[in-house]
Amino acid sequence: MNKKIAALIFVLIFALSACGGRVPKPKTSRKVIQKYFKKYAKKYPTTIYGQNGVAKVEIEDQQEIHKKFVSVEAYVVLGDGNLRKIVASVQKGPFGWKFVSWEDATGL
């Protein structure tokens, strides 16, 4: 009887731990995108992101493309108050979420 209860508890714990984590929390997406644009501004100082800097990032929507790969729509607020809409892709790696690609969706 004890083996059945232990097996049931093990299966429940495994099932609950396997369910979550397919889409990052908005806070995590915000940190990943902001970190990327900080590096981008240093690498390309003549761009709008390099000249003004990124003040904050606001997440609008997140959609799972496939397992461990997510599309994020976000607004990037620059230091001068300018607002740019971007679509970014983030991927779950072995050490957390990482930035993969982005495109400027301001004119779309």
Side-chain angles (χ1 to χ4, degrees):
M1 185 69 165
N2 288 336
K3 289 183 180 180
K4 288 182 180 180
I5 293 173
L8 180 64
I9 290 173
F10 176 74
V11 169
L12 286 174
I13 289 173
F14 180 75
L16 290 175
S17 66
C19 292
R22 291 185 58 145
V23 177
K25 295 179 182 176
K27 182 179 178 182
T28 304
S29 296
R30 182 175 29 250
K31 282 177 49 179
V32 169
I33 292 170
Q34 196 157 15
K35 182 179 177 183
Y36 173 80
F37 276 105
K38 187 174 183 180
K39 289 180 184 179
Y40 186 86
K42 288 181 182 178
K43 190 172 182 178
Y44 303 104
T46 58
T47 64
I48 190 170
Y49 302 102
Q51 292 173 350
N52 300 320
V54 174
K56 67 179 180 176
V57 175
E58 298 175 3
I59 304 300
E60 182 181 338
D61 186 32
Q62 297 186 122
Q63 293 181 351
E64 182 179 24
I65 297 172
H66 63 79
K67 186 177 179 182
K68 298 182 180 181
F69 198 72
V70 178
S71 172
V72 181
E73 292 182 22
Y75 287 103
V76 176
V77 181
L78 301 175
D80 64 352
N82 196 356
L83 189 68
R84 307 293 288 187
K85 183 176 182 177
I86 65 160
V87 178
S89 299
V90 294
Q91 184 175 18
K92 176 101 181 230
F95 301 110
W97 291 93
K98 67 177 187 172
F99 194 91
V100 177
S101 65
W102 71 283
E103 71 178 70
D104 191 356
T106 303
L108 296 180

